[in-house]
Structures are given as structure tokens and as C-alpha cells.
Amino acid sequence: MPKFPQTVLILSLALLSAASAASVKGADGVTVNVSAPKRVVALNGTTVELIYRLGKQNTIVGTDITGTYPPNKIPSVGHWAQLPAEGILSLKPDLVIGTADNFATPKNTTLVGQLRAAGVPVLVLPASDTGGLEGVKTRLNMLAQVYGVPSAANALAKSFDTTLAAVRANRPKRAPRVIFLYAHSPSDATIYGTRGGANELIELAGGKNAAPFEDTKPLTAEALVAINPDAIIMLERGLDAVGGREGLLKMPGVAQTNAGKHRRIYTVDNSIRWIGPRLPEFALKLAREWKKDFDR
């Protein structure tokens, strides 16, 4: 090959490499320099979903137990609340991406430091359980910087806006008072308060969270009857765990509420505690169901 074209080729490759490099400031204030990552451990199911939406799923070599959507065979490094540094390092990642809420759990507080001490860059995204859809967009744009695909992020953000317009058109005229009930079994259930992904979903769909507290409280008949919600929403697996709608109606206080009397019980995707790119879709489903049931 003549010398001149070879020089041009080398320069072109260098420019392409420079174009794909990025410096991304994480939610912890630490800037991570990245250049076309090829082995990414993506912690938190919403991180996995967003990377899929950007078309970069082939870079993911590991996730936690929540990274199951879209259905995949990505190796799991364990439970999201107690992630092992050794398991993550064994996958030889060139970048670890997680969310601030994952890293803040008591057993994960030293994880970021351990990974960085081992020489692995760690990008901390803003928490996935607060911030609503604007928070999703922030994380989406940070990931778009990592992969150098801003146009893909812009297209996804526009699709959010389109779905949100449909949500607004389908909300019930009167906002139902709603509680989110998280259950492992009929004897182990918790009412979620006004902080978290379930609250974001309720408000986006046109409801009002009836829980008079921020965090969570165990379900008691007295508390539930006092709240007297118009509707109860549960995870799909939560409703299964209590024996379906009939099982739920037998739980303490449920049958005495307006929700129980009118059997206004709704299910949502199991991932809703974390706020991801499907939030507008989930909200549209609930808004349509509520409009049908409450606008009579």
C-alpha cells in the first residue's frame, strides 16, 4: 500500500477513536473516561433496558438479578442489594455501570471503591427509584455519551413524549386514591409510601397515592381501612403470591375498602419499583384501566 493512503488510514482511525471517547461525570461526582466499552457489567435492570434501547446490548457481559428484561442470557453476578466485587471482577469488565440506589444499600457501600481500587472504571448513574421520567432521560443521556450514540437517545426521548401524550388523553377525570401493596405472601405485605417508582407510576397514570407516609409500612387491617383506597395496585408476582384477587380480598381489611368492595385491583410489571424506559407504557395501561372503571 502506498505510504500516503496508509498515513491517511492511521489518522482516520485515530480520529474515529477520539470521536468515540467521552468523559462522563457520574452521580457521585467522579468523571469516567470511556472509549467504546466492550465488556460492560450493567447493574440494575433499568440500566440493562436502556443499553438495549441504545442498541449496545452486545457489550453487556454481566448484570444483577434484576437485569432480565428484555429476556436474555446475560450472566448474573447476584442479588442487587448485596453485589460481590469478586464476581464482577471475574467477568473482566472494562466498565461497570450502576445506579446510586444500588450502590447505597448497606452491603454495597464499599463496592465502588473496591472495583476502582482494582483498576475498573465505575460510572454511577443517578438513582433509579426517584426522579420520574426526567431521571430516566438523564440516565439515558449519560449512557448515550458512554456509547457515542446521541441520536438513539434523542429518538427514544421523543417516543416517551408521544406515549405521555396518550397517557394524558386517557387519564380518568377524577383521580382515584390508590395504594401500592407489595406482598411476598398473605401474611407478609407492605404498603409503599409516596417515595419510589410505584408513586411515580400512580401519579403519571392520573391517580393519587393515598398512603399518608413516605417510606413503607406493614399492612394492617386498621391502617388499610383508615386509608380506604379506591384502588389497589400490586406487582404481578405479588398478586400471585397472595392467591390472586380472591386471595387478596381475604387479607386483613381489604374487603372493607372501596377498592375491595368494587374489586378494583390492578397489576403492574414486577420491575416498577425501579423507574425505567417502560414507565410511560405502564402508565398508559393503568390510565386506560382507571378511565374505564372510574369514568362511568
Side-chain angles (χ1 to χ4, degrees):
M1 181 182 293
K3 288 184 179 180
F4 179 72
Q6 191 173 35
T7 303
V8 171
L9 176 61
I10 292 171
L11 285 172
S12 298
L13 290 173
L15 288 171
L16 283 172
S17 176
S20 62
S23 295
V24 186
K25 187 175 183 179
D28 60 347
V30 176
T31 297
V32 177
N33 297 311
V34 294
S35 178
K38 294 179 175 61
R39 296 187 62 81
V40 173
V41 172
L43 304 172
N44 188 294
T46 63
T47 306
V48 172
E49 282 197 54
L50 288 169
I51 293 174
Y52 263 85
R53 296 291 188 105
L54 293 173
K56 296 295 181 178
Q57 62 270 23
N58 290 339
T59 67
I60 306 175
V61 296
T63 183
D64 59 24
I65 60 168
T66 67
T68 57
Y69 186 89
N72 60 69
K73 296 182 179 179
I74 301 170
S76 173
V77 295
H79 194 278
W80 63 272
Q82 43 191 342
L83 294 163
E86 297 79 8
I88 295 173
L89 292 173
S90 70
L91 296 172
K92 302 185 185 309
D94 55 15
L95 179 63
V96 173
I97 307 174
T99 56
D101 47 333
N102 274 162
F103 292 135
T105 60
K107 294 188 177 181
N108 288 346
T109 52
T110 60
L111 179 62
V112 174
Q114 290 175 302
L115 295 173
R116 286 175 176 160
V120 177
V122 180
L123 177 62
V124 180
L125 302 176
S128 66
D129 59 350
T130 58
L133 196 56
E134 289 305 311
V136 177
K137 290 180 178 178
T138 297
R139 284 179 275 137
L140 173 65
N141 287 330
M142 292 172 73
L143 292 171
Q145 289 180 60
V146 167
Y147 288 106
V149 288
S151 59
N154 290 336
L156 182 54
K158 287 181 180 177
S159 76
F160 292 159
D161 295 336
T162 301
T163 307
L164 284 179
V167 172
R168 286 192 289 271
N170 283 279
R171 285 172 178 158
K173 294 176 182 175
R174 180 182 69 83
R177 298 176 64 258
V178 184
I179 65 161
F180 174 72
L181 190 63
Y182 183 81
H184 291 292
S185 71
S187 60
D188 182 4
T190 304
I191 300 173
Y192 271 47
T194 56
R195 185 181 184 280
N199 183 68
E200 298 285 350
L201 176 65
I202 290 170
E203 293 189 346
L204 193 61
K208 177 179 173 56
N209 194 334
F213 45 82
E214 284 191 356
D215 295 322
T216 63
K217 288 189 176 181
L219 173 67
T220 66
E222 294 77 12
L224 190 60
V225 171
I227 294 172
N228 190 21
D230 299 318
I232 296 173
I233 61 175
M234 300 182 70
L235 297 182
E236 292 161 349
R237 69 166 183 268
L239 188 60
D240 289 342
V242 301
R245 284 176 168 74
E246 298 306 319
L248 176 62
L249 290 169
K250 295 176 184 175
M251 290 175 62
V254 174
Q256 284 73 53
T257 65
N258 286 336
K261 292 173 185 174
H262 299 286
R263 301 175 69 88
R264 286 173 174 161
I265 298 160
Y266 306 85
T267 57
V268 294
D269 187 87
N270 293 327
S271 68
I272 196 58
R273 284 186 297 164
W274 296 280
I275 304 168
R278 287 180 291 159
L279 179 65
E281 300 170 30
F282 299 153
L284 181 57
K285 171 181 175 289
L286 265 187
R288 285 171 170 162
E289 291 173 338
W290 288 346
K291 188 175 182 63
K292 176 183 175 184
D293 291 344
F294 289 98
D295 280 1
R296 293 178 177 175

